[in-house]
Amino acid sequence: MTLHQRAGVARTVLGPTARTSQLWTIVAAGAVGLLTVWLTARRGVPAPDLVLPLRIAGVALAAGAAFVLDDAAAVTVASAPTGLPVRRALRVALALTGVAAVWSGLVAYAAVAAVDPSGGPFGLPVAGLTLEFVATVTVAWAIAATVAATVEAGSGGVAAGPAVLALAAVAALAPARWVMYPAGPLDPAWTDAHRRWVGVLVVGLLVLVRASRDPAKRGPLTSLRATPRFPASP
């Protein structure tokens, strides 16, 4: 199939994919994130006080985004000409649009609401927080895709949502040597922590791509798990 043909197929299935994607989970998680940031920002606090609420909002948004990869019709359309990589890529693209819009809105609101003691605008470490957020979303999708590939179609988000919350809690309790959530850009651990976040992002992407391969190309172990077993004939 040529690239032009693949693009045509993608345009054909984009509408049905959008209708079956659980994009409402992103909206719901975004509302939770906005409430979290607003509860702090309404007091007119400086930017450092909004780093933690934004992180909490990002984790909640990542947990909600994990459900977008769930496809209840995955088994039915497994033999369709549009393979899993294309269908997964479309879902990721749709989800990216949603989470990017919500995250941008949260950061913009926090940047406007944050003030210094004199009442003027105060900068936020947007780049660092966005890196943490993107890495967390990627991990959520990697978990969801892996679970969907090995257990039951449509169940990835159910596992990935709580897993992301648990991993974030573990990261928050990491020892000082491996801190993942430094207080702010002035924290000496800020640069090293975000180097680790780059590593988390790369690993998450690799796992997501591998779990999104065509089932026939995943290797013998996956094939054995996916093959139904029948009792031996007497």
Side-chain angles (χ1 to χ4, degrees), residues 19-34:
R19 288 193 295 271
T20 58
S21 297
Q22 301 185 58
L23 296 175
W24 66 268
T25 59
I26 294 178
V27 177
V32 173
L34 178 60

Side-chain angles (χ1 to χ4, degrees), residues 82-193:
T82 307
L84 177 61
V86 175
R87 300 197 308 272
R88 180 64 53 72
L90 287 175
R91 287 181 179 273
V92 168
L94 288 170
L96 274 176
T97 302
V99 297
V102 175
W103 176 252
S104 298
L106 289 173
V107 171
Y109 171 70
V112 171
V115 295
D116 63 15
S118 64
F122 200 96
L124 279 170
V126 176
L129 292 176
T130 300
L131 172 59
E132 296 173 16
F133 170 65
V134 172
T136 305
V137 172
T138 304
V139 169
W141 286 340
I143 297 173
T146 301
V147 172
T150 56
V151 185
E152 181 183 358
S155 63
V158 176
V164 166
L165 298 178
L167 289 173
V170 171
L173 298 175
R177 183 179 178 183
W178 301 104
V179 63
M180 297 297 290
Y181 291 119
L186 298 181
D187 191 318
W190 182 266
T191 300
D192 289 339

